[in-house]
Amino acid sequence: FPVLVYIHGGYWQCLSKDESGFTAPPLVSQGVAVVAVGYDIAPKGHMDAMVLQVRRSLAFLVEQYSRIRGVYLCGHSAGAHLAAMVLSTDWTEYGVTPDIRGAVLVSGVYDLEPILHTYVNDVLNMSWEVAKRNSPMLCVTTAVPAAETCEVLIAVAQHDSPEFRRQSQEYSQALRAAGWSVSLLDLAGVDHFDIIEKLSEESYVLTQVGEELSSSP
């Protein structure tokens, strides 16, 4: 069975996996298992630890369930950042290599440096070095053979801020230049929040993308 791993947003300092169940019903009805991943949010958690926890969660998942037929990542905002960091993982350090076949990154943050100059960093307390090593834009790896079958969809909302829109476009270009299969989807009529909340709807385009990705052989 295919597994969709959902990583919540909340600027790395609010929300949890417990509020992530809205993504499940349309996908479960199509035979997709949905796993909501949690991580220690700030101020308890710091950025290095959050990235490590999400990577370890993927490793744990594939170790525990041998019948998984493909892992599909979905993350929103801060969760899209963490999902993007999963794509840059050196899995030799974990002893397993998850068969990641797709990723849907929704209104994500892919360069953390601008956050250093905002109120968001008051809680995160990131240094420049931490922001640099945890910026997906700076961690893009050349697509290895296993990653060539991974379809990456980067979605951004029409009413997202200019910074979210800029980062989505530049990250998609960086992945494509490194040999990844990438699509950029600009969704009209939605903002930073309802672009993900609509995943509870069967007819929503991102719900259908998730179903289509996970039904591929």
Side-chain angles (χ1 to χ4, degrees):
F1 54 93
V3 172
L4 183 131
V5 175
Y6 180 78
I7 307 170
H8 70 84
Y11 276 112
W12 306 275
Q13 55 193 284
C14 60
L15 302 180
S16 73
K17 62 182 176 61
D18 300 328
E19 288 101 355
S20 302
F22 68 92
T23 62
L27 293 163
V28 170
S29 68
Q30 298 297 318
V32 180
V34 177
V35 175
V37 167
Y39 50 93
D40 287 335
I41 58 175
K44 178 183 178 182
H46 55 85
M47 191 60 68
D48 288 324
M50 294 182 217
V51 171
L52 180 61
Q53 287 173 338
V54 172
R55 287 170 168 168
R56 283 180 172 169
S57 294
L58 265 289
F60 174 82
L61 182 67
V62 299
E63 285 176 336
Q64 291 296 308
Y65 300 99
S66 59
R67 294 178 56 224
I68 291 175
R69 179 182 60 76
V71 174
Y72 301 84
L73 304 173
C74 180
H76 172 241
S77 194
H81 158 264
L82 293 169
M85 288 301 293
V86 168
L87 294 180
S88 70
T89 304
D90 178 1
W91 291 108
T92 58
E93 301 177 19
Y94 297 84
V96 295
T97 302
D99 181 16
I100 301 175
R101 300 189 186 180
V104 181
L105 310 178
V106 184
S107 293
V109 181
Y110 309 108
D111 180 3
L112 298 183
E113 190 275 336
I115 288 175
L116 298 178
H117 315 291
T118 72
Y119 73 93
V120 175
N121 200 44
D122 293 347
V123 179
L124 293 175
N125 197 29
M126 287 189 296
S127 65
W128 184 86
E129 292 78 9
V130 170
K132 182 179 178 181
R133 67 171 168 261
N134 290 293
S135 288
M137 192 87 75
L138 303 178
C139 301
V140 173
T141 54
T142 301
V144 294
E148 290 174 1
T149 57
C150 178
E151 299 277 340
V152 180
L153 174 67
I154 296 176
V156 64
Q158 177 186 1
H159 302 300
D160 260 323
S161 72
E163 180 66 11
F164 277 106
R165 293 178 60 80
R166 177 189 71 82
Q167 290 204 16
S168 294
Q169 185 170 21
E170 292 185 4
Y171 183 56
S172 66
Q173 291 170 344
L175 282 177
R176 193 173 294 114
W180 291 77
S181 176
V182 187
S183 302
L184 179 63
L185 180 61
D186 195 334
L187 286 173
V190 289
D191 61 27
H192 187 73
F193 300 101
D194 57 12
I195 190 175
I196 197 70
E197 291 165 356
K198 285 176 173 285
L199 271 181
S200 61
E201 301 174 9
E202 180 70 42
S203 60
Y204 183 48
V205 60
L206 286 185
T207 308
Q208 294 174 346
V209 164
E211 293 172 358
E212 185 177 315
L213 271 179
S214 51
S215 64
S216 58

